[in-house]
Amino acid sequence: MTGKRASMTDARDGRNALRKARMSQTQSSASAPGGVLIVGSITADLTTFSSRLPARGETILGDDFTLVLGGKGANQAVAAGLAGGHAHMVGCVGTDLFSDLVTGGLRDAGVHIDHVVAVPGPTGIAHIRVDDSGENDIVMVPLANSSLSETQIDAAFDALGSTCRVLLTQLEIPWALTQYAIRKAHDSGLTVVLDPAPAATLDESIWPLVDIVTPNETEASILTGIAVTDEASAIEAGRWFTTRGATSALITMAAAGAVLVTADSVDRFDSIRVDAVDTTAAGDAFAGYLGASLADGFDITDAIRRAIAAGALTVTRRGASPSLPHRDDVDALAASQNAGIR
């Protein structure tokens, strides 16, 4: 473990101490699990598999096709549910043929959907293309996700704010609503975990309300303007977030592992080597397991190790939500690894 002391004002020291205390309370007792509130997107994922991706204007023949539940919010909710967490999804679906598909997928994973609202029109759609290397590209069309409202978020917090310990949220719903959910969670004392994907320029006033921001190297590069190509640049990017008020930045770098950066320390985590088949939803598995583990009382380092194992298993399977692993498999893989903080 490597620690470096940053220059901070007394006011900021006090603020960070209070927020670290809140995170410690979230992690204090594995015998008293709390809920995870997920505010985010729900989509039907249409995925094609082919040996390579077509060039612009080219048509190629593919090998397979799937139609399943997806969306970063829904995937993270499913992952949190499979992790054993009490996952509560807040989002919108349409009234089309895909509505039953996506709500059924959430329910089957043990996710509570009392705050999933059906709105007139089509359900959100993601078109995903995957090649033989496991890499993918995605076009996400929000559709029903754009109908999420502050009123709907208020209702969820009124019902669940006292029982949930962690908020998971992302950037596939309107940014104004992501900010609103973050502020509500912060004011309610929840640990706020922001997955800033798909990456976009954000209002910097939000960072002091975020406990853990979890970009991958691409997202960190876009958000900070720092090209994240190795551990040193990842740490530099992490400090970009903490100097703007985030309690911690967890930069994930696929096979290169991850770094957790706070105002005064850096913790390094090794990856778990696997043969990747499809990288879709790996980040969502990571976020869902991280959130559920924190809500269940894991300390931050053990929660990250568990999340890394979940992400590793996810890339060995095809699809989005179908690739998300059960906690028994995740915990077995995590226990078999000697990798951790150096």
Side-chain angles (χ1 to χ4, degrees):
M1 184 183 298
T2 300
K4 291 190 177 180
R5 181 68 56 182
S7 176
M8 303 167 62
T9 65
D10 290 342
R12 178 154 177 195
D13 280 337
R15 183 187 68 201
N16 280 343
L18 288 171
R19 294 173 65 203
K20 287 178 181 178
R22 188 173 74 221
M23 290 179 68
S24 178
Q25 290 171 357
T26 299
Q27 304 159 9
S28 63
S29 174
S31 64
V36 183
L37 192 63
I38 304 96
V39 179
S41 58
I42 304 169
T43 67
D45 280 7
L46 295 81
T47 305
T48 61
F49 299 88
S50 55
S51 60
R52 63 179 178 84
L53 300 183
R56 185 171 183 175
E58 180 187 18
T59 298
I60 64 172
L61 295 179
D63 304 316
D64 201 1
F65 167 79
T66 60
L67 172 59
V68 296
L69 166 68
K72 295 195 72 63
N75 289 341
Q76 292 179 15
V78 168
L82 293 173
H86 301 290
H88 301 269
M89 183 74 213
V90 183
C92 292
V93 299
T95 51
D96 57 358
L97 294 175
F98 294 143
S99 178
D100 289 343
L101 169 77
V102 297
T103 54
L106 287 164
R107 192 181 295 110
D108 289 347
V111 177
H112 300 282
I113 60 171
D114 293 348
H115 296 279
V116 174
V117 173
V119 298
T123 299
I125 294 293
H127 177 212
I128 306 168
R129 306 186 304 175
V130 182
D131 66 18
D132 275 353
S133 72
E135 292 301 319
N136 65 70
D137 58 23
I138 303 173
V139 176
M140 188 270 191
V141 188
L143 300 172
N145 292 291
S146 298
S147 296
L148 184 65
S149 67
E150 292 183 1
T151 299
Q152 187 179 343
I153 294 171
D154 285 341
F157 274 94
D158 288 344
L160 302 166
S162 62
T163 59
C164 287
R165 291 182 174 181
V166 175
L167 170 75
L168 296 178
T169 193
Q170 322 78 30
L171 301 181
E172 287 185 342
I173 58 173
W175 168 235
L177 294 176
T178 300
Q179 289 187 91
Y180 188 79
I182 288 172
R183 293 184 189 281
K184 291 282 290 188
H186 180 267
D187 292 345
S188 299
L190 277 67
T191 295
V192 175
V193 181
L194 171 63
D195 178 8
T201 301
L202 304 180
D203 181 352
E204 291 195 0
S205 67
I206 208 67
W207 297 123
L209 308 180
V210 174
D211 294 294
I212 310 173
V213 57
T214 62
N216 63 24
E217 64 268 48
T218 301
E219 293 150 2
S221 298
I222 293 170
L223 288 164
T224 68
I226 298 165
V228 178
T229 58
D230 55 17
E231 184 179 286
S233 55
I235 293 170
E236 183 183 0
R239 291 195 174 116
W240 184 95
F241 292 105
T242 60
T243 59
R244 283 159 177 78
T247 301
S248 58
L250 178 55
I251 314 295
T252 60
M253 300 176 289
V259 293
L260 176 68
V261 181
T262 69
D264 54 10
S265 68
V266 175
D267 294 336
R268 297 168 174 84
F269 296 83
D270 293 329
S271 65
I272 298 173
R273 306 295 178 177
V274 295
D275 294 325
V277 172
D278 178 6
T279 58
T280 306
D284 297 330
F286 183 97
Y289 266 81
L290 178 68
S293 300
L294 291 173
D296 264 359
F298 284 68
D299 67 36
I300 185 67
T301 57
D302 286 340
I304 292 171
R305 291 189 185 109
R306 196 176 188 222
I308 287 172
L313 283 176
T314 299
V315 304
T316 66
R317 306 167 182 176
R318 282 186 166 186
S321 57
S323 70
L324 297 169
H326 189 271
R327 59 186 171 276
D328 290 346
D329 297 325
V330 171
D331 291 340
L333 178 60
S336 71
Q337 300 296 309
N338 293 321
I341 294 180
R342 301 196 299 274

